[in-house]
CSV table of all heavy atoms in Angstrom, one decimal:
chain,number,residue,atom,x,y,z
A,1,HIS,N,1.6,2.6,0.9
A,1,HIS,CA,0.5,1.9,1.5
A,1,HIS,C,-0.8,2.4,0.7
A,1,HIS,O,-0.9,3.5,0.4
A,1,HIS,CB,0.3,2.4,3.0
A,1,HIS,CG,1.3,1.8,3.9
A,1,HIS,ND1,1.0,1.1,5.0
A,1,HIS,CD2,2.7,2.0,3.9
A,1,HIS,CE1,2.2,0.8,5.6
A,1,HIS,NE2,3.2,1.3,5.0
A,2,LEU,N,-1.6,1.4,0.5
A,2,LEU,CA,-2.9,1.7,-0.3
A,2,LEU,C,-3.9,2.2,0.8
A,2,LEU,O,-4.4,1.4,1.5
A,2,LEU,CB,-3.4,0.5,-1.0
A,2,LEU,CG,-4.5,0.6,-1.9
A,2,LEU,CD1,-4.2,1.6,-3.1
A,2,LEU,CD2,-4.9,-0.7,-2.5
A,3,CYS,N,-4.2,3.5,0.8
A,3,CYS,CA,-5.1,4.0,1.8
A,3,CYS,C,-6.4,4.6,1.3
A,3,CYS,O,-7.4,4.6,2.0
A,3,CYS,CB,-4.4,5.1,2.6
A,3,CYS,SG,-2.9,4.5,3.4
A,4,LEU,N,-6.4,5.1,0.0
A,4,LEU,CA,-7.6,5.8,-0.4
A,4,LEU,C,-8.7,4.9,-0.7
A,4,LEU,O,-8.6,3.9,-1.4
A,4,LEU,CB,-7.2,6.6,-1.7
A,4,LEU,CG,-6.2,7.7,-1.6
A,4,LEU,CD1,-5.9,8.3,-3.0
A,4,LEU,CD2,-6.7,8.8,-0.6
A,5,ARG,N,-9.9,5.2,-0.2
A,5,ARG,CA,-11.1,4.4,-0.4
A,5,ARG,C,-11.4,4.1,-1.8
A,5,ARG,O,-11.8,3.0,-2.2
A,5,ARG,CB,-12.3,5.1,0.3
A,5,ARG,CG,-13.6,4.2,0.2
A,5,ARG,CD,-14.7,4.8,1.0
A,5,ARG,NE,-14.5,4.7,2.4
A,5,ARG,CZ,-14.8,3.7,3.2
A,5,ARG,NH1,-15.3,2.6,2.6
A,5,ARG,NH2,-14.6,3.7,4.5
A,6,ASN,N,-11.2,5.1,-2.7
A,6,ASN,CA,-11.5,5.0,-4.1
A,6,ASN,C,-10.6,3.9,-4.7
A,6,ASN,O,-11.1,3.1,-5.5
A,6,ASN,CB,-11.4,6.3,-4.8
A,6,ASN,CG,-12.0,6.3,-6.2
A,6,ASN,OD1,-12.9,5.6,-6.4
A,6,ASN,ND2,-11.5,7.2,-7.0
A,7,ASP,N,-9.3,4.0,-4.4
A,7,ASP,CA,-8.4,3.0,-4.9
A,7,ASP,C,-8.7,1.6,-4.4
A,7,ASP,O,-8.6,0.6,-5.1
A,7,ASP,CB,-6.9,3.3,-4.5
A,7,ASP,CG,-6.4,4.6,-5.2
A,7,ASP,OD1,-7.0,4.9,-6.3
A,7,ASP,OD2,-5.4,5.1,-4.7
A,8,ILE,N,-9.1,1.5,-3.1
A,8,ILE,CA,-9.5,0.2,-2.5
A,8,ILE,C,-10.7,-0.4,-3.2
A,8,ILE,O,-10.8,-1.6,-3.5
A,8,ILE,CB,-9.6,0.3,-1.0
A,8,ILE,CG1,-8.3,0.6,-0.4
A,8,ILE,CG2,-10.2,-1.0,-0.4
A,8,ILE,CD1,-8.4,1.0,1.1
A,9,ASP,N,-11.7,0.5,-3.5
A,9,ASP,CA,-12.9,0.1,-4.1
A,9,ASP,C,-12.6,-0.5,-5.5
A,9,ASP,O,-13.2,-1.5,-5.9
A,9,ASP,CB,-14.0,1.2,-4.2
A,9,ASP,CG,-14.5,1.5,-2.8
A,9,ASP,OD1,-14.4,0.7,-1.9
A,9,ASP,OD2,-15.1,2.6,-2.7
A,10,HIS,N,-11.8,0.3,-6.3
A,10,HIS,CA,-11.4,-0.2,-7.6
A,10,HIS,C,-10.6,-1.5,-7.6
A,10,HIS,O,-10.8,-2.4,-8.4
A,10,HIS,CB,-10.5,0.9,-8.3
A,10,HIS,CG,-11.3,2.0,-8.8
A,10,HIS,ND1,-12.4,1.9,-9.6
A,10,HIS,CD2,-11.1,3.4,-8.6
A,10,HIS,CE1,-12.9,3.1,-9.8
A,10,HIS,NE2,-12.1,4.0,-9.2
A,11,LEU,N,-9.8,-1.7,-6.5
A,11,LEU,CA,-9.1,-2.9,-6.4
A,11,LEU,C,-10.0,-4.1,-6.2
A,11,LEU,O,-9.7,-5.2,-6.8
A,11,LEU,CB,-8.1,-2.8,-5.2
A,11,LEU,CG,-7.3,-4.1,-4.9
A,11,LEU,CD1,-6.4,-4.5,-6.0
A,11,LEU,CD2,-6.5,-3.9,-3.6
A,12,PHE,N,-11.1,-4.0,-5.5
A,12,PHE,CA,-11.9,-5.1,-5.2
A,12,PHE,C,-13.1,-5.2,-6.2
A,12,PHE,O,-14.0,-6.0,-6.1
A,12,PHE,CB,-12.4,-5.1,-3.8
A,12,PHE,CG,-11.4,-5.5,-2.8
A,12,PHE,CD1,-10.7,-4.5,-2.1
A,12,PHE,CD2,-11.0,-6.8,-2.7
A,12,PHE,CE1,-9.7,-4.8,-1.2
A,12,PHE,CE2,-9.9,-7.1,-1.8
A,12,PHE,CZ,-9.3,-6.1,-1.0
A,13,ALA,N,-13.1,-4.3,-7.2
A,13,ALA,CA,-14.2,-4.3,-8.2
A,13,ALA,C,-13.8,-5.4,-9.3
A,13,ALA,O,-12.8,-6.0,-9.3
A,13,ALA,CB,-14.3,-3.0,-8.9
A,14,ALA,N,-14.8,-5.6,-10.2
A,14,ALA,CA,-14.6,-6.6,-11.3
A,14,ALA,C,-13.4,-6.2,-12.1
A,14,ALA,O,-13.0,-5.0,-12.3
A,14,ALA,CB,-15.8,-6.6,-12.2
A,15,GLY,N,-12.7,-7.2,-12.6
A,15,GLY,CA,-11.5,-7.0,-13.4
A,15,GLY,C,-10.2,-7.2,-12.6
A,15,GLY,O,-9.1,-7.2,-13.2
A,16,SER,N,-10.3,-7.4,-11.3
A,16,SER,CA,-9.1,-7.7,-10.5
A,16,SER,C,-8.8,-9.2,-10.6
A,16,SER,O,-9.7,-10.0,-10.9
A,16,SER,CB,-9.3,-7.3,-9.0
A,16,SER,OG,-9.5,-5.9,-9.0
A,17,LYS,N,-7.5,-9.5,-10.3
A,17,LYS,CA,-7.1,-10.9,-10.3
A,17,LYS,C,-6.7,-11.3,-8.9
A,17,LYS,O,-6.3,-10.4,-8.1
A,17,LYS,CB,-6.0,-11.0,-11.3
A,17,LYS,CG,-6.3,-10.7,-12.7
A,17,LYS,CD,-5.1,-10.6,-13.6
A,17,LYS,CE,-5.5,-10.0,-14.9
A,17,LYS,NZ,-5.3,-8.6,-15.0
A,18,ALA,N,-6.7,-12.6,-8.6
A,18,ALA,CA,-6.4,-13.0,-7.3
A,18,ALA,C,-5.6,-14.4,-7.3
A,18,ALA,O,-5.8,-15.1,-8.3
A,18,ALA,CB,-7.6,-13.2,-6.4
A,19,HIS,N,-4.8,-14.5,-6.4
A,19,HIS,CA,-4.1,-15.8,-6.2
A,19,HIS,C,-4.1,-16.1,-4.7
A,19,HIS,O,-4.1,-15.2,-3.8
A,19,HIS,CB,-2.6,-15.7,-6.6
A,19,HIS,CG,-2.4,-15.5,-8.1
A,19,HIS,ND1,-2.8,-16.5,-9.0
A,19,HIS,CD2,-1.9,-14.5,-8.8
A,19,HIS,CE1,-2.4,-16.0,-10.2
A,19,HIS,NE2,-1.9,-14.8,-10.1
A,20,THR,N,-4.0,-17.4,-4.4
A,20,THR,CA,-4.0,-17.9,-3.0
A,20,THR,C,-2.9,-18.8,-2.7
A,20,THR,O,-2.6,-19.7,-3.5
A,20,THR,CB,-5.3,-18.6,-2.6
A,20,THR,OG1,-6.4,-17.7,-2.9
A,20,THR,CG2,-5.4,-19.0,-1.2
A,21,ALA,N,-2.2,-18.6,-1.6
A,21,ALA,CA,-1.2,-19.5,-1.1
A,21,ALA,C,-1.3,-19.5,0.4
A,21,ALA,O,-0.9,-18.6,1.1
A,21,ALA,CB,0.3,-19.1,-1.5
A,22,TYR,N,-2.1,-20.5,0.9
A,22,TYR,CA,-2.5,-20.5,2.3
A,22,TYR,C,-1.3,-20.3,3.2
A,22,TYR,O,-0.2,-20.9,3.0
A,22,TYR,CB,-3.1,-21.9,2.6
A,22,TYR,CG,-3.8,-21.9,3.9
A,22,TYR,CD1,-5.1,-21.4,4.1
A,22,TYR,CD2,-3.2,-22.4,5.0
A,22,TYR,CE1,-5.7,-21.4,5.3
A,22,TYR,CE2,-3.8,-22.4,6.3
A,22,TYR,CZ,-5.0,-21.9,6.4
A,22,TYR,OH,-5.7,-21.9,7.6
A,23,PRO,N,-1.3,-19.4,4.1
A,23,PRO,CA,-2.4,-18.7,4.7
A,23,PRO,C,-2.6,-17.3,4.1
A,23,PRO,O,-3.2,-16.4,4.8
A,23,PRO,CB,-1.9,-18.5,6.2
A,23,PRO,CG,-0.4,-18.3,6.0
A,23,PRO,CD,0.0,-19.2,4.8
A,24,LEU,N,-2.2,-17.0,2.9
A,24,LEU,CA,-2.4,-15.7,2.3
A,24,LEU,C,-3.2,-15.7,1.0
A,24,LEU,O,-3.2,-16.7,0.3
A,24,LEU,CB,-1.1,-15.0,2.0
A,24,LEU,CG,-0.1,-14.9,3.2
A,24,LEU,CD1,1.2,-14.4,2.6
A,24,LEU,CD2,-0.7,-14.0,4.2
A,25,ARG,N,-3.9,-14.6,0.7
A,25,ARG,CA,-4.6,-14.4,-0.5
A,25,ARG,C,-4.2,-13.0,-1.0
A,25,ARG,O,-4.1,-12.1,-0.2
A,25,ARG,CB,-6.1,-14.5,-0.4
A,25,ARG,CG,-6.8,-14.3,-1.6
A,25,ARG,CD,-8.4,-14.5,-1.4
A,25,ARG,NE,-9.1,-14.1,-2.5
A,25,ARG,CZ,-9.3,-14.9,-3.6
A,25,ARG,NH1,-8.8,-16.1,-3.7
A,25,ARG,NH2,-10.1,-14.4,-4.6
A,26,VAL,N,-3.9,-12.9,-2.3
A,26,VAL,CA,-3.6,-11.6,-2.8
A,26,VAL,C,-4.6,-11.3,-3.9
A,26,VAL,O,-4.9,-12.1,-4.7
A,26,VAL,CB,-2.1,-11.5,-3.3
A,26,VAL,CG1,-1.9,-12.4,-4.5
A,26,VAL,CG2,-1.7,-10.1,-3.6
A,27,VAL,N,-5.1,-10.0,-3.9
A,27,VAL,CA,-5.9,-9.5,-5.0
A,27,VAL,C,-5.1,-8.4,-5.5
A,27,VAL,O,-4.6,-7.5,-4.8
A,27,VAL,CB,-7.2,-9.0,-4.4
A,27,VAL,CG1,-8.1,-8.3,-5.5
A,27,VAL,CG2,-8.0,-10.1,-3.7
A,28,PHE,N,-5.0,-8.3,-6.9
A,28,PHE,CA,-4.2,-7.3,-7.5
A,28,PHE,C,-4.9,-6.7,-8.7
A,28,PHE,O,-5.7,-7.4,-9.4
A,28,PHE,CB,-2.8,-7.7,-7.8
A,28,PHE,CG,-2.7,-8.9,-8.8
A,28,PHE,CD1,-2.3,-8.6,-10.1
A,28,PHE,CD2,-2.9,-10.2,-8.4
A,28,PHE,CE1,-2.2,-9.6,-11.0
A,28,PHE,CE2,-2.8,-11.2,-9.3
A,28,PHE,CZ,-2.5,-10.9,-10.6
A,29,ARG,N,-4.5,-5.5,-9.1
A,29,ARG,CA,-5.0,-4.8,-10.2
A,29,ARG,C,-3.9,-4.0,-10.8
A,29,ARG,O,-3.3,-3.2,-10.1
A,29,ARG,CB,-6.2,-4.0,-9.8
A,29,ARG,CG,-6.9,-3.3,-11.0
A,29,ARG,CD,-8.0,-2.4,-10.5
A,29,ARG,NE,-8.9,-2.1,-11.6
A,29,ARG,CZ,-10.0,-2.7,-11.9
A,29,ARG,NH1,-10.5,-3.7,-11.1
A,29,ARG,NH2,-10.8,-2.4,-12.9
A,30,GLU,N,-3.8,-4.1,-12.2
A,30,GLU,CA,-2.8,-3.3,-12.8
A,30,GLU,C,-3.4,-1.9,-13.0
A,30,GLU,O,-4.5,-1.8,-13.3
A,30,GLU,CB,-2.4,-3.9,-14.2
A,30,GLU,CG,-1.6,-5.2,-14.0
A,30,GLU,CD,-1.1,-5.7,-15.4
A,30,GLU,OE1,-0.5,-4.9,-16.1
A,30,GLU,OE2,-1.4,-6.8,-15.7
A,31,ILE,N,-2.5,-0.9,-12.9
A,31,ILE,CA,-2.9,0.5,-13.0
A,31,ILE,C,-1.9,1.2,-13.9
A,31,ILE,O,-0.8,0.6,-14.1
A,31,ILE,CB,-3.1,1.2,-11.7
A,31,ILE,CG1,-1.8,1.2,-10.9
A,31,ILE,CG2,-4.2,0.6,-10.9
A,31,ILE,CD1,-1.7,2.2,-9.8
A,32,ARG,N,-2.2,2.3,-14.4
A,32,ARG,CA,-1.3,3.2,-15.1
A,32,ARG,C,-0.5,4.0,-14.1
A,32,ARG,O,-1.0,4.7,-13.3
A,32,ARG,CB,-2.0,4.0,-16.1
A,32,ARG,CG,-1.1,4.9,-16.9
A,32,ARG,CD,-1.9,5.4,-18.1
A,32,ARG,NE,-1.1,6.3,-18.9
A,32,ARG,CZ,-0.2,5.9,-19.8
A,32,ARG,NH1,0.0,4.6,-19.9
A,32,ARG,NH2,0.5,6.8,-20.5
A,33,HIS,N,0.8,3.9,-14.2
A,33,HIS,CA,1.7,4.6,-13.2
A,33,HIS,C,1.9,6.0,-13.7
A,33,HIS,O,2.4,6.2,-14.8
A,33,HIS,CB,3.0,3.8,-13.1
A,33,HIS,CG,4.0,4.5,-12.2
A,33,HIS,ND1,5.1,5.1,-12.6
A,33,HIS,CD2,4.0,4.7,-10.8
A,33,HIS,CE1,5.8,5.6,-11.6
A,33,HIS,NE2,5.1,5.4,-10.5
A,34,GLU,N,1.5,7.0,-12.9
A,34,GLU,CA,1.7,8.4,-13.4
A,34,GLU,C,2.5,9.2,-12.4
A,34,GLU,O,2.5,10.4,-12.5
A,34,GLU,CB,0.3,9.0,-13.5
A,34,GLU,CG,-0.6,8.3,-14.6
A,34,GLU,CD,-2.0,8.7,-14.5
A,34,GLU,OE1,-2.4,9.3,-13.5
A,34,GLU,OE2,-2.7,8.3,-15.5
A,35,GLY,N,3.1,8.6,-11.4
A,35,GLY,CA,3.9,9.3,-10.4
A,35,GLY,C,3.8,8.6,-9.1
A,35,GLY,O,2.8,7.9,-8.8
A,36,GLY,N,4.7,8.8,-8.2
A,36,GLY,CA,4.7,8.2,-6.9
A,36,GLY,C,5.2,6.7,-7.0
A,36,GLY,O,5.8,6.3,-8.0
A,37,PRO,N,4.9,5.9,-6.0
A,37,PRO,CA,5.3,4.5,-6.0
A,37,PRO,C,4.6,3.7,-7.1
A,37,PRO,O,3.4,4.0,-7.4
A,37,PRO,CB,5.0,4.0,-4.6
A,37,PRO,CG,4.2,5.0,-4.0
A,37,PRO,CD,4.2,6.3,-4.8
A,38,GLN,N,5.3,2.8,-7.7
A,38,GLN,CA,4.7,1.9,-8.7
A,38,GLN,C,3.7,0.9,-8.1
A,38,GLN,O,2.8,0.5,-8.8
A,38,GLN,CB,5.7,1.2,-9.5
A,38,GLN,CG,6.4,2.0,-10.6
A,38,GLN,CD,7.3,1.1,-11.5
A,38,GLN,OE1,8.3,0.7,-11.0
A,38,GLN,NE2,6.9,0.9,-12.7
A,39,VAL,N,4.0,0.5,-6.9
A,39,VAL,CA,3.2,-0.6,-6.2
A,39,VAL,C,2.7,0.0,-4.9
A,39,VAL,O,3.5,0.5,-4.1
A,39,VAL,CB,4.1,-1.8,-6.0
A,39,VAL,CG1,3.2,-2.9,-5.3
A,39,VAL,CG2,4.6,-2.4,-7.3
């Protein structure tokens, strides 16, 4: 689960990508995986 405010702020900052398929919209950002879950 994405919980940290800093991670959420980075996700919605410039440089993120988005797709829509009604009734859903997804915003995503690639990050460097350094441990823990990849997604």
